[in-house]
């Protein structure tokens, strides 16, 4: 069955394309390369031996998107990643975030409806829970007011999808990611942050390799054992595999309802200092870091209740924190070797 992967050259998209191909799915990618590079296509081919089909256009373009679906009437499922994802930027440019993340989703849903494509996997985020009252946080926990336009686009998108399911044959699985980190074991694909990274892991690896001078740890006065904030970090390949399981679940008619939601995390919370310690251990590098004040909008602690995903999807994250930080380090070294060969 042919699967459309939007944003398939991005960080999560590219790892998912690899897993799909390795499970025998035919993949077509749509991407406008706004936050990714074309060379990712050949990197995917290096891993799987298959160059995915791809088309370059912006899914915000209604005519192009509808024309795409008409030309590809053999698509059996859609995994929708294409979206802007920088929290801080979304606060500065809310309209750009709403236009991009919401309009592309509307165009995809219209295209699916018009062409009788039933299966949608949507990339959502644990950000919808805000700071949960109860930990670990389960899928039925209340949705908290979004702290950023980015977070709000994820909440609104979940609502749009849920409403659409009521009046169409479309069914969906919405996956709420915790903190995806690390890279593919081959070090052919990984995270490619543009400019100064906002996220912890690329900042750590870039500091260790010498691209950044010092890592700022945002706050050590949280109500946690070492004072730094806690997250549920999940290896990118574990996360990617869950998408294939979710898609196959719909194709095989195993869903309990037309709209299902699953947390994708490990169930373990680690503090910023624990992540740094793991990185220093596996890399043998001493990391230059200092403590600064809290970053505004950050929550104190969150980790997933994974029971529902483990039982229902039959999927479980397998990689340890050390494996995650080691794979991120290997990827950073690969990138820097590549840069110095240019
Ligand atoms: C954020 C978003 C999430 C989004 C994800 C990916 C929120 C609440 N979460 O996750 O929705 O999907 O980014 O873009 O907005 N840290 C430092 N120093 C740094 C960078 C990070 O100490 O230089 C700390 C942060 O304070 C946080 C932890 O590391 O405690 C993880 O931060 P980050 O990787 O940015 O992810 P989130 O903020 O959890």
């Amino acid at each position: 069955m042919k699967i459309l992967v939007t944003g398939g050259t991005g960080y999560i998209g590219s790892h998912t394309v690899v897993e799909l191909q390795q499970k025998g799915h035919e993949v077509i990618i749509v991407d406008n390369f706004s936050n990714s590079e074309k060379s990712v296509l050949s990197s995917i081919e290096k891993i799987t031996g298959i160059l995915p089909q791809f088309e370059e256009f912006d899914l915000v373009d209604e005519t192009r998107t509808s024309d795409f679906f008409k030309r590809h009437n053999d698509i059996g499922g859609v995994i929708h990643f294409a979206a802007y994802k920088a929290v801080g930027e979304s606060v500065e440019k809310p309209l750009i975030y709403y236009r991009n993340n919401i309009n592309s989703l509307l165009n995809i849903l219209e295209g699916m409806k018009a062409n009788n494509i039933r299966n949608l996997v949507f990339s959502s985020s644990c950000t919808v829970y805000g700071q949960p009252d109860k930990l670990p946080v389960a899928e039925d926990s209340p949705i908290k007011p979004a702290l950023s336009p980015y977070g709000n686009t994820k909440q609104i998108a979940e609502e749009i999808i849920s409403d659409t399911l009521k009046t169409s044959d479309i069914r969906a699985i919405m996956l709420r990611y915790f903190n995806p980190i690390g890279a593919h074991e081959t070090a052919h694909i990984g995270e490619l942050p543009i400019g100064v990274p906002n996220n912890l892991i690329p900042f750590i690896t870039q500091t260790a390799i010498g691209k950044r001078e010092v890592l700022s740890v945002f706050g050590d006065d949280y109500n946690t054992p070492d004072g730094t904030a806690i997250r549920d970090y999940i290896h990118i390949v574990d996360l990617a595999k869950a998408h294939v399981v979710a898609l196959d679940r719909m194709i095989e008619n195993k869903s309990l309802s037309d709209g299902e939601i699953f947390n994708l995390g490990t169930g373990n919370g680690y503090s910023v200092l624990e992540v740094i310690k793991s990185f220093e251990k596996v890399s043998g590098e001493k990391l230059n870091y200092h403590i600064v004040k809290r970053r505004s909008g950050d929550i104190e602690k969150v980790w997933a209740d994974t029971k529902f995903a483990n039982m229902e999807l039959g999927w479980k994250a397998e990689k340890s924190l050390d494996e995650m930080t080691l794979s991120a380090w290997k990827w950073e070294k690969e990138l820097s070797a590549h840069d110095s060969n240019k």
Side-chain angles (χ1 to χ4, degrees), residues 72-324:
H72 295 277
N73 55 11
D74 54 346
I75 289 174
V78 179
I79 306 186
H80 179 38
F81 293 108
Y84 291 158
K85 62 171 185 182
V87 177
E89 187 185 53
S90 79
V91 176
E92 267 142 48
K93 305 174 182 166
L95 293 179
I96 291 179
Y97 268 67
Y98 286 114
R99 180 184 294 280
N100 189 63
N101 293 7
I102 303 299
N103 285 7
S104 56
L105 174 66
L106 296 178
N107 292 340
I108 288 163
L109 288 169
E110 300 274 15
M112 290 180 69
K113 231 178 130 173
N115 295 279
N116 299 315
I117 301 168
R118 291 202 66 192
N119 309 308
L120 173 69
V121 179
F122 177 68
S123 119
S124 189
S125 167
C126 73
T127 196
V128 303
Y129 300 121
Q131 176 60 66
D133 302 325
K134 217 178 105 207
L135 287 166
V137 60
E139 289 83 350
D140 58 1
S141 302
I143 300 292
K144 295 278 176 69
L147 291 171
S148 69
Y150 158 77
N152 209 17
T153 66
K154 294 294 177 193
Q155 294 190 2
I156 295 169
E158 285 196 5
E159 287 172 7
I160 291 172
I161 292 168
S162 303
D163 285 342
T164 308
L165 308 179
K166 293 178 196 153
T167 56
S168 71
D169 286 336
I170 297 174
R171 53 195 171 187
I173 293 185
M174 294 172 255
L175 300 174
R176 291 181 178 158
Y177 311 149
F178 284 67
N179 288 54
I181 60 168
H184 197 266
E185 58 177 2
T186 59
H188 289 321
I189 53 173
E191 194 169 2
L192 280 171
I194 293 177
V196 183
N198 294 309
N199 297 115
L200 179 63
I201 290 294
F203 212 106
I204 288 179
T205 57
Q206 288 195 4
T207 306
I209 207 108
K211 282 189 200 161
R212 313 270 155 221
E213 205 180 314
V214 57
L215 167 80
S216 295
V217 173
F218 298 134
D220 68 348
D221 55 353
Y222 285 107
N223 182 22
T224 60
D226 65 22
T228 63
I230 294 179
R231 299 286 183 274
D232 184 338
Y233 297 92
I234 172 169
H235 194 280
I236 186 72
V237 174
D238 280 333
L239 188 91
K241 285 181 175 159
H243 292 75
V244 185
V245 175
L247 186 79
D248 288 345
R249 176 180 173 85
M250 287 186 284
I251 294 170
E252 291 161 17
N253 291 315
K254 288 188 185 152
S255 300
L256 299 176
S257 68
D258 281 347
E260 290 187 309
I261 294 177
F262 293 102
N263 281 343
L264 295 186
T266 64
N268 303 313
Y270 290 105
S271 73
V272 177
L273 289 181
E274 283 175 314
V275 174
I276 292 174
K277 275 194 206 107
S278 160
F279 173 79
E280 290 187 327
K281 184 175 88 184
V282 301
S283 69
E285 301 285 327
K286 184 91 197 70
L287 194 72
N288 186 23
Y289 69 88
H290 62 175
I291 310 286
V292 301
K293 66 178 180 21
R294 295 180 181 191
R295 180 170 71 177
S296 97
D298 269 350
I299 57 163
E300 184 167 270
K301 50 190 163 195
V302 67
W303 58 93
D305 184 330
T306 61
K307 275 200 283 307
F308 189 51
N310 296 163
M311 278 167 49
E312 265 308 314
L313 287 179
W315 162 92
K316 200 173 187 322
E318 281 163 3
K319 296 236 191 312
S320 68
L321 180 62
D322 287 350
E323 288 172 296
M324 299 187 220

